[in-house]
């Protein structure tokens, strides 16, 4: 299976996950999470498990072997999730950390995998007597790794004297728009909530051509992030149902149609008539283990087979299980982008088809989905929904 | 959106009822392909694929739609000619990619398979893609009637697309259902003739192109807009018209020229749009049908009339009457030769005035030796003779030209035809010097072929400067505004030595990219300082770091593209302006500012870094966005930042100079705010010495010069071969046929000659020569005769020009004998006497000198 095909499968898994997160955790509130990030955690767990646990994770992620999964995940970590800020692209940092109780120690092969493939730091911790301090330590690690954007990834009481192992994964992404929005044009407007009420929120606008496509029942907007000299191209896509309350139908359609994301990417910039997207900033945290269990991935959390490939002691390994996977993400959409810089690439269009595209409206004044994708590979970094730009 | 059947809007059913449905017409559609079993089509004869994608199908919908407009038979979206045989050439991929080479292959196949009509709803700005252009010539020469979309780059002017801009192609513009030109439809004129010539009238015709119904990819109809749609409307009409002619006679009667004649002569002129928007007007199927029914092979001129009373159709001509002493007015017409693919002008065109006043008009003609394929140009260079300097009124008459083509098979003698072009011109007395502005077109360089970057770096979807930078293209609103303000604007397409500074209040130099001959720099200095010429310069950004960074790899041409200059060529301008102590810098300034209550946007302009004491200089807090400037913005503290100077006004010698660092506010292409108010105030100053109290406030006055080290001035790029694009570097200084007749082929008004003879050496020389029956050359100072001998006038065509002079000699004395004799008398009494008078006058001041020349005139 080639990488592109794997990514396509992973995106299907991600969308499925997203649907469950939305329907089970947060039907009526804003959601943002990183499926890429959760996949990395699952890959690490798979590498540390054997038997049914391993098989379950592999089948959940649609891989046939841990080698295949690990090489894929580490490739994503090094190629897609690498920092691009030195090249003028988005700032991206992914950090994986493992905290193991001092009574245990990692198998050398597992430790090496952590460090080499996932660039994960492994730490000793004293859960038995200092669980609260360990939580604080993990949280401050996450805060540092996400430039202060994500605080308290681990809720109070999420570890105690029984905890043996914590995996934490933090993904920090900060891109600026390829073309900034004019702040002086940002205006207050009404946003329709799912319950039929309205709130007043700031909306950004632009008269410039945009990547917008209209489909049956919904529209898609792509906003490219500044790429610089980076080879990767990140974009945020807005999936806006035509109906104010069409979000869940649209989500169903996305999940039930294989390759939906790839087949609904606006490829051309078109003239826009009315163009409004809200400014928003929110964070969202949840216990991914519950959602994964709901999707049938139970074994890693039940402890029946254990995580025998992870720790030195076979007995302890057999009794180990993952208690929780806490995940927290934060997103901000504002005008920030590059000033129309002097230099910009272009295409000398020798000749083209001379059809005049109709101007298109894109007014995101009701709940929509958003996806942050790396366009060359198709890897989905974030998925979320905005149902109220103020919360 | 209204979705009336486009076929009924042209009355196609009248021809259908007569049984004409496009049968036996081979229609080549160069597009995105079509599906084989599409239910809308009766005769998809063949599909070929010329792309690198392995499919014949249309997956985009463009090619199917175009085919539907031509030949669809679904009642919801009927096409014009359902029995036309469709040959679908797939030359565009689903991703809308195409290469010249694919077109060349496909064109060759179209010639080999003997297509009748070819539709290209495709175009681009590069009319210098020679392999493509030559292949199109070969297509039309092979008697394939090509119909092509004029482009969707309207409402800006100078946006014609190739190949629709070619004379052998039928170029189609778009109109809305209410007969207004569609905003998207590209406007004329053609720009490849610049700077020495003048653009051709295009589009040829217009047709409905908004919200037209056509076939969808697999089934059903949809609506689409664009000249992509207007083109197949005309192609469908052409197919219908071809089927009107019995098959046996088609190849004898029908060809790209005869079909264009039928279309333009039948077209209905719309009231409102000018000829560079609508061409001959809206296509009229039934009128063209009548013309073709009784057609005999002949040649004609398009447009067939230039009427200064017919405004706005005759814009820009009707906006400014002719007058003596002006640069020639050029009208570039197209010869359509329906007699044969090759044709010749039998004898030089002749001007037949309808009244005596008509003899005041002098016309020089330019035309090709060979009219091929089917078409050629006939350019009229018109001047009012000096005797007409006080004439007010109209001049009417006809220009006739005889065209012949070799005999067709079975014929014994050549085919001959006399074409006629009607002129109705308005003439006024020569306006006063202060009201006359000269626009420098010569130093403008555009795309193609060079990467001439856009002037406003904020504009990112149109990276090239390709609209011609002409008074009648992207500066047309400024032109209209100056006319409204009472100014007369003429165009200089030749070097700065080719105009007489005494005639003009101000030389206007806007957004110029080329370099300057040393002779030009020397003459302009003298013109301003000694002759009192006003000079107004609107510059543009220039920053080498930024230009280097704008380099990119273009997928289409598979090559690196790098800007050959900035928005303007500042190092060259600085050379020119060094005489006046003025220089521009390399900042790229942006921002809004207000002066005298007028809000202005400075959009990627330059800064003034050198300026003499005594002048007036205006600074504004603008932001530098150049590569180096952005860094400095960060490093410098607020206190150490000095606001950049962008506007300067200066009196120097007899003349006055105004400089401004940005041209975006005059350029209609991507204008944010206009600065016509500023231009007018600068012209008030440069031409009439009227000083605006705000621009000349004591706070703006410089008591010490602004100075900068020579090394800190922007320098030329050394890594670009500028001579490829320049008309100056590596070229010879020569006044071309855009300049006054008497300096054609010379180096112009030479400084050293003028030192002894401040008269207009050129045309007084001619008058003198005629009066005393000398040849023109014999009285000319040797300086410019030497250049002339190698020039164009000594070619075979000059004989026809000589013939024209001879005619004038006969007519002229009868027309204005008194004035003519006085003139000749004064001049003949001695050039040297005049010289001494001149010297005295100069000391007494300008006003006397002006009245003196009036008397002589």
């Amino acid at each position: 299976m080639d990488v592109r095909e794997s990514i396509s499968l992973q995106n299907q898994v991600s969308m499925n996950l997203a649907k469950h997160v939305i329907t089970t955790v947060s039907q009526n509130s804003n959601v943002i999470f990183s499926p890429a990030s959760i996949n990395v955690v699952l890959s690490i767990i798979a590498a540390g498990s054997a038997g049914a646990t391993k098989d379950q994770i592999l089948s959940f992620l649609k891989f046939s072997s841990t080698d295949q999964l690990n090489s894929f995940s580490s490739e994503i970590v090094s190629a897609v999730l690498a920092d691009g800020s030195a090249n003028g692209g988005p700032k991206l940092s992914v950090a994986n950390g493992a905290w193991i109780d001092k009574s245990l120690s990692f198998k050398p092969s597992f430790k090496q995998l952590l460090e080499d493939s996932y660039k994960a730091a492994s730490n000793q911790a004293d859960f038995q007597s200092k669980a609260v301090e360990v939580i604080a330590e993990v949280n401050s690690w996450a805060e540092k790794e996400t430039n202060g954007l994500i605080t308290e990834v681990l809720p109070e009481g999420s570890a105690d004297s029984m905890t043996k192992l914590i995996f934490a994964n933090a993904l920090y992404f900060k891109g600026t728009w390829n073309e900034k929005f004019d702040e002086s044009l940002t205006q207050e407007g009404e946003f329709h909530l799912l319950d039929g009420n309205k709130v007043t929120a700031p909306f950004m606008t632009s008269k410039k051509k945009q990547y917008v496509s209209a489909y049956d029942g919904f529209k898609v907007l792509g906003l490219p992030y500044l790429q610089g000299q980076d080879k990767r191209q990140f974009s945020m896509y807005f999936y806006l149902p035509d109906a104010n309350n069409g979000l869940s139908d649209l989500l169903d359609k996305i999940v039930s149609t294989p390759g939906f994301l790839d087949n609904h990417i606006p490829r051309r910039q078109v003239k826009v008539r009315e163009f409004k997207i809200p400014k928003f900033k929110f964070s969202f945290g949840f216990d991914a283990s519950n959602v994964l269990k709901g999707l049938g991935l139970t074994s890693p959390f039940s402890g029946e087979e254990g995580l025998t490939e992870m720790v030195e002691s076979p007995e302890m390994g057999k009794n180990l299980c993952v208690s929780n996977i806490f995940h927290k993400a934060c997103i901000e959409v504002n005008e920030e982008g590059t000033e129309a810089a002097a230099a910009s690439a272009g295409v000398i269009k020798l000749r083209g088809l001379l059809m005049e595209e109709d101007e298109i409206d894109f007014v995101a004044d009701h709940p929509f989905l958003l996806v942050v994708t790396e366009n060359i590979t198709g890897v989905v970094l974030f998925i979320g929904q905005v149902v109220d730009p103020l919360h | 959106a209204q979705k009336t059947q486009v076929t009924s809007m042209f009355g196609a059913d009248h021809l259908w009822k007569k049984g004409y449905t496009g049968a036996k017409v081979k229609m080549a559609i160069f597009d995105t392909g079509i599906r084989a079993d599409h239910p809308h089509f009766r005769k998809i004869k063949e599909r070929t694929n010329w792309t690198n994608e392995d499919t014949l199908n249309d997956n985009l919908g463009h090619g199917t739609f175009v085919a539907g407009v031509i030949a669809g038979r679904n009642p919801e979206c009927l096409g014009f000619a359902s029995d036309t045989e469709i040959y679908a050439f797939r030359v565009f991929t689903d991703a809308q990619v195409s290469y010249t080479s694919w077109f060349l292959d496909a064109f060759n196949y179209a010639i080999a398979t003997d297509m009748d009509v070819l539709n290209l709803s495709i175009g681009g700005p590069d009319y210098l893609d020679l392999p493509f252009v030559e292949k199109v010539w070969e297509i039309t020469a092979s008697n394939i009637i090509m119909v092509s979309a004029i482009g969707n780059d309207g409402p800006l002017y100078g946006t014609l697309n190739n190949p629709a801009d070619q004379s052998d192609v039928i170029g189609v513009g778009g109109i809305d259902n209410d007969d207004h030109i569609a905003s998207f439809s590209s406007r004329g004129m053609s720009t490849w003739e610049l700077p020495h010539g003048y653009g051709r009238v295009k589009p040829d015709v217009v047709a409905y192109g908004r919200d037209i119904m056509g076939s969808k990819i697999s089934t059903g109809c949809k609506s689409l807009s664009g000249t992509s749609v207007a083109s197949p409307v005309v192609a469908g009409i052409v197919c219908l018209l071809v089927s009107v002619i019995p098959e046996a006679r088609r190849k004898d009667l029908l060809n790209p020229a005869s079909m264009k004649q039928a279309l333009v002569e039948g077209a209905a002129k719309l009231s409102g749009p000018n000829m560079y928007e609508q061409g001959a007007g809206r296509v009229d199927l039934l009128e063209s049908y009548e013309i073709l029914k009784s057609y005999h092979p002949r040649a004609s001129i398009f447009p067939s009339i230039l009427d200064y009373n017919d405004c706005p159709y005759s814009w820009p001509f009707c906006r400014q009457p002719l007058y003596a002493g002006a640069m020639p007015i050029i009208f570039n017409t197209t010869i359509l030769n329906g007699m044969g693919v090759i044709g010749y002008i039998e004898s030089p065109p002749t001007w037949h005035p309808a009244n005596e006043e008509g003899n005041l008009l002098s016309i020089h003609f330019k035309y090709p030796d060979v009219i091929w394929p089917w078409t050629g140009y006939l350019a009229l260079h018109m001047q009012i003779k000096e005797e007409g300097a006080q004439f007010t009124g109209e001049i009417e008459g006809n220009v006739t030209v005889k065209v012949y083509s070799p005999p067709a098979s079975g014929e014994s003698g050549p085919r001959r035809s006399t074409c006629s072009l009607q002129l109705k011109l308005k003439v006024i007395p020569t306006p006063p010097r202060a009201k006359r502005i000269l626009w420098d077109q010569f130093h403008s360089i555009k795309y193609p072929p060079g990467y001439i970057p856009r002037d406003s770096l904020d504009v990112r979807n149109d990276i090239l400067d390709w609209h011609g930078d002409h008074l009648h293209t992207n500066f047309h609103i400024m032109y209209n505004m100056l006319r409204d303000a009472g100014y007369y604007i003429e165009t200089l397409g030749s070097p700065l030595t080719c105009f007489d500074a005494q005639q003009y209040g101000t030389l206007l130099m806007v957004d110029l990219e080329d370099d300057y001959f040393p002779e030009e720099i020397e003459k302009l200095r003298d013109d301003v300082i000694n002759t009192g010429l006003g000079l107004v310069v609107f510059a543009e950004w220039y920053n080498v770091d930024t230009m280097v960074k704008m380099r990119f790899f273009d997928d289409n041409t598979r090559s690196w593209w790098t800007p050959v200059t900035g928005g303007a060529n500042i190092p060259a301008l600085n050379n020119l302006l060094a005489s006046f102590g003025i220089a521009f810098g390399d900042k790229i300034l942006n921002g809004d500012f207000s002066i005298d209550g007028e809000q202005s946007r400075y959009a990627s302009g330059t800064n003034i870094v050198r300026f003499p004491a005594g002048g007036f200089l205006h600074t504004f807090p603008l932001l530098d966005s150049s590569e180096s400037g952005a860094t400095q913005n960060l490093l410098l503290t607020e206190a150490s930042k000095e606001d950049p100077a962008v506007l300067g006004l200066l009196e120097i010698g007899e003349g006055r100079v105004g400089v401004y660092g940005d041209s975006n506010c005059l350029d209609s292409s991507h204008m944010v705010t206009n600065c016509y108010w500023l231009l007018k105030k600068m012209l008030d100053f440069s031409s009439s010495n009227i000083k605006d109290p705000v621009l000349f406030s004591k706070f703006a006055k410089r008591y010490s010069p602004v100075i900068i080290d020579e090394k800190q001035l922007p320098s030329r790029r050394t890594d670009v071969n500028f001579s490829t694009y320049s008309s100056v570097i590596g070229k010879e200084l020569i006044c071309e046929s855009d300049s006054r007749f008497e300096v054609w082929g010379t180096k112009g008004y030479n400084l050293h000659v003028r030192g002894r003879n401040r008269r207009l050496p050129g045309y007084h020389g001619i008058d003198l020569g005629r009066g005393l029956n000398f040849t023109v050359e014999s009285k000319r100072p040797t300086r410019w005769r030497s250049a002339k001998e190698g020039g164009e006038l000594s070619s075979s065509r000059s004989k026809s020009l000589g013939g024209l002079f001879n005619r004038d000699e006969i007519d002229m004395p009868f027309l204005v004998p008194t004035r003519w004799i006085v003139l000749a008398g004064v001049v003949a009494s001695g050039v040297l006497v005049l010289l001494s008078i001149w010297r005295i006058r100069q000391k007494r001041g300008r006003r006397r000198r002006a009245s003196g020349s009036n008397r002589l005139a």
Side-chain angles (χ1 to χ4, degrees), chain B residues 378-426:
Chain B
L378 172 65
L380 281 62
H381 295 237
M382 299 181 284
Q383 269 182 211
I384 297 299
K385 293 176 193 161
E386 193 57 18
E387 316 76 274
Q390 298 302 326
F391 176 71
T392 307
E394 296 189 7
I395 285 177
E396 284 190 35
N398 289 306
V399 167
T400 57
V401 57
K402 284 185 185 144
V403 177
Y404 72 95
S405 282
S409 64
E411 293 175 356
S412 54
R415 296 176 158 186
R416 285 198 158 77
S417 186
T418 302
C419 336
S420 174
L421 164 66
Q422 196 186 353
L423 297 182
K424 290 184 180 179
L425 312 173
K426 277 188 179 169

Side-chain angles (χ1 to χ4, degrees), chain B residues 789-810:
Chain B
E789 275 158 1
E792 200 174 315
L793 285 178
S794 61
S795 72
S796 61
R797 203 176 307 147
S798 71
K799 292 190 185 76
S800 65
L801 301 177
L804 202 87
F805 282 132
N806 291 337
R807 272 180 44 81
D808 292 346
E809 279 176 37
I810 299 161

Side-chain angles (χ1 to χ4, degrees), chain B residues 416-728:
Chain B
R416 285 198 158 77
S417 186
T418 302
C419 336
S420 174
L421 164 66
Q422 196 186 353
L423 297 182
K424 290 184 180 179
L425 312 173
K426 277 188 179 169
V427 184
I428 54 163
T430 306
R433 180 186 187 188
K435 285 294 170 195
R436 290 175 64 182
I437 299 169
L438 189 64
W439 170 265
D440 182 356
Q441 187 69 40
F442 178 72
H443 296 95
S444 181
I445 309 181
K446 61 184 187 302
Y447 171 84
Y451 177 6
I452 310 299
R454 62 211 181 281
D455 297 323
S456 171
L457 295 173
D458 263 340
V459 180
R460 304 175 129 227
N461 50 7
D462 195 2
I463 64 165
L464 297 166
D465 200 357
W466 67 285
H467 300 160
D469 285 344
H470 190 274
L471 286 171
H472 304 148
T473 60
N474 48 323
F475 288 96
H476 71 292
I477 298 177
M478 182 202 76
Y479 169 77
N480 289 342
M481 183 283 304
L482 288 174
R483 286 294 303 125
D484 289 340
Y487 284 104
Y488 296 83
I489 314 107
E490 301 167 30
T491 305
L492 177 69
S494 284
L496 298 179
T497 55
C498 303
F499 75 99
D500 173 22
Q502 286 200 91
Q503 299 282 315
Y504 300 95
T506 297
L507 173 68
L508 185 50
M509 306 181 79
V510 179
D511 181 20
L512 298 178
E513 291 90 357
D514 212 336
D515 226 300
Y516 301 88
F517 290 107
E519 294 93 326
E520 293 185 281
I521 295 171
E522 196 187 353
K523 173 171 181 285
L524 187 66
R525 179 185 185 280
D526 183 65
D527 284 347
V528 172
I529 293 173
N530 296 324
T531 315
L533 177 73
L535 175 66
V536 169
V537 177
F538 279 68
E540 265 299 337
W541 68 271
Y542 183 96
N543 182 288
V544 173
D545 290 342
T546 297
M547 282 150 58
V548 168
K549 216 178 161 190
M550 286 169 79
R551 188 177 102 108
F552 67 92
F553 187 81
D554 175 47
D555 252 358
N556 268 317
T557 51
R558 299 265 153 200
S559 60
W560 283 95
W561 283 67
T562 187
V564 297
T565 175
N569 191 340
I570 294 300
L573 269 177
N574 284 349
N575 253 11
L576 185 75
L577 297 174
S579 319
F580 314 118
I582 298 172
F584 293 108
D586 66 354
K587 287 192 195 307
I588 301 178
L589 300 170
N590 288 286
D592 297 306
F593 68 95
S594 151
I595 179 169
D596 203 9
E598 296 274 4
Q599 277 288 338
S600 274
R601 166 72 64 87
Y602 209 72
S604 313
T606 183
N607 55 321
I608 299 167
V609 295
R610 183 181 279 173
F611 205 75
F616 292 78
L617 198 59
H618 294 263
T619 61
F620 298 101
L622 301 167
L623 211 59
D624 184 5
S625 65
S626 66
E627 293 297 311
S628 43
T631 322
Q632 274 185 351
N633 281 337
L634 286 176
L635 296 177
L636 291 178
T637 58
E638 281 302 318
S640 64
K641 275 185 201 164
E642 217 175 275
D643 286 345
V646 297
L647 169 64
L649 299 145
L650 175 71
E651 287 177 277
I652 183 161
E654 296 270 306
R656 287 166 298 277
V657 178
V659 290
Y660 186 66
D662 188 27
S663 72
N664 177 268
C665 56
L666 299 178
D667 182 343
S668 307
S669 283
H670 303 292
M671 187 185 288
V672 185
T673 54
N674 81 60
C675 59
Y676 300 140
W677 59 274
L678 176 64
L679 174 62
K680 277 193 256 188
K681 284 178 178 179
M682 290 170 80
L683 289 170
D684 282 346
F685 168 64
S686 63
S687 289
S688 307
N689 203 12
I690 297 168
K691 291 176 182 161
D692 178 81
V694 174
L695 294 190
F696 291 87
S697 97
K698 62 182 175 186
F699 303 110
K701 182 151 184 171
R702 289 292 313 189
Y703 293 97
S704 61
V706 179
I707 45 176
I708 188 173
D709 190 80
E710 198 71 31
K711 285 183 203 131
Q712 285 178 270
L713 289 175
S715 54
R716 289 176 169 80
R717 287 192 77 165
T718 49
D719 53 340
V720 175
N721 187 5
F722 192 63
S723 65
T724 312
Y725 313 102
S726 172
S727 304
V728 174

Side-chain angles (χ1 to χ4, degrees), chain B residues 128-177:
Chain B
L128 289 182
D129 182 6
L130 211 55
F132 184 90
V133 169
E134 287 180 340
K135 191 55 75 179
V136 170
W137 289 341
E138 196 182 332
I139 281 276
T140 57
S142 308
N143 208 359
I144 297 172
I145 299 168
M146 187 187 283
V147 182
S148 185
I150 203 69
N152 289 354
D153 301 293
L156 307 178
Y157 279 67
T159 53
L160 300 177
N161 282 18
N162 181 267
D165 66 339
Q166 293 183 209
S167 63
D168 55 327
V169 175
I170 296 166
V172 184
I175 51 174
D176 298 340
N177 287 341

Side-chain angles (χ1 to χ4, degrees), chain A residues 178-179 182 208-209 229 268-269 271 338-358, chain B residues 60 62 92 96 100 103 121-125 129 132 149 152 161 184 225 227-228 447 454 458 460 464 546 552 554 556 561:
Chain A
N178 197 28
E179 286 206 50
D182 188 341
K208 291 180 177 151
K209 284 185 168 186
Q229 304 298 310
R268 292 187 60 206
Q269 284 184 305
K271 287 181 193 160
T338 40
E339 290 280 345
S344 69
V347 178
I348 304 294
K349 202 172 171 192
L350 218 48
R351 51 189 71 84
L353 304 171
L354 297 172
M355 61 180 153
E356 186 73 359
E357 304 258 322
D358 283 334
Chain B
L60 201 71
H62 194 264
F92 264 81
Q96 305 194 30
T100 297
F103 272 98
S121 288
I122 286 160
D129 182 6
F132 184 90
N152 289 354
N161 282 18
F184 55 75
S225 302
T227 51
S228 258
Y447 171 84
R454 62 211 181 281
D458 263 340
R460 304 175 129 227
L464 297 166
T546 297
F552 67 92
D554 175 47
N556 268 317
W561 283 67

Side-chain angles (χ1 to χ4, degrees), chain B residues 76-346:
Chain B
E76 301 265 303
C77 50
L78 274 179
F80 280 87
S82 58
D83 283 318
T84 288
E85 299 169 0
I86 292 173
Y87 292 76
F89 292 68
R90 191 170 184 274
V91 289
F92 264 81
T93 67
D94 294 337
Q96 305 194 30
V97 172
S98 184
Y99 296 99
T100 297
S101 57
W102 299 352
F103 272 98
L104 299 185
D105 290 345
F107 278 140
N108 282 334
Y109 187 68
I111 294 168
T113 49
D114 203 19
M115 294 292 118
D116 294 312
V117 188
L118 193 156
N119 183 78
L120 261 185
S121 288
I122 286 160
D126 187 3
Y127 52 78
L128 289 182
D129 182 6
L130 211 55
F132 184 90
V133 169
E134 287 180 340
K135 191 55 75 179
V136 170
W137 289 341
E138 196 182 332
I139 281 276
T140 57
S142 308
N143 208 359
I144 297 172
I145 299 168
M146 187 187 283
V147 182
S148 185
I150 203 69
N152 289 354
D153 301 293
L156 307 178
Y157 279 67
T159 53
L160 300 177
N161 282 18
N162 181 267
D165 66 339
Q166 293 183 209
S167 63
D168 55 327
V169 175
I170 296 166
V172 184
I175 51 174
D176 298 340
N177 287 341
D178 58 4
D179 283 345
H180 291 115
I181 301 293
S183 55
F184 55 75
S185 190
S186 287
R187 270 69 166 172
M189 56 199 188
S190 58
T191 53
W192 63 265
E193 296 88 348
L194 300 177
H196 302 303
Y198 192 82
R200 194 187 306 118
V201 175
K202 277 276 178 174
D204 294 298
V205 287
V206 290
Y208 297 112
R210 195 184 291 278
D211 300 328
I212 302 298
M213 293 297 286
S215 303
K216 292 212 288 194
I217 289 179
S218 54
T219 179
C221 303
K222 66 167 183 176
S223 102
L224 199 70
S225 302
T227 51
S228 258
V229 181
S231 180
V233 165
V234 172
I237 282 172
V238 167
C239 287
L240 261 191
L241 291 172
V242 170
S243 69
V244 164
I245 307 294
E247 239 188 305
R249 297 197 60 211
R250 281 183 194 169
K251 286 293 173 192
D252 182 38
L253 288 180
L254 297 176
N255 56 58
S258 63
M259 186 54 75
K260 192 188 273 197
Q261 286 172 328
L263 291 175
V264 300
E265 290 166 19
K269 197 166 88 182
L270 307 173
S271 65
N274 66 52
M275 63 173 97
Y276 296 100
E277 295 179 295
Q278 65 165 320
R282 186 191 61 223
V283 161
D284 189 323
L285 170 61
L286 301 178
E287 282 293 323
S288 296
Y289 163 67
E290 294 296 332
I291 292 166
L292 270 188
K293 261 200 318 188
S294 56
Y295 183 80
H296 293 289
R298 56 182 163 83
S300 63
I301 296 176
F302 172 73
S304 57
I305 180 168
L306 176 62
D307 182 357
Y308 272 52
N309 294 309
D310 186 10
C311 236
Y313 182 76
S314 296
W315 183 93
F317 297 97
C318 60
R319 279 310 297 265
Q320 180 168 306
L322 298 164
Y323 48 83
M327 291 291 163
I329 296 299
I330 307 173
F331 186 48
N332 187 2
T333 67
T334 300
I335 298 171
L336 303 173
N337 179 19
M339 300 184 294
V341 62
I342 192 162
Y344 307 91
I345 304 272
E346 182 147 17

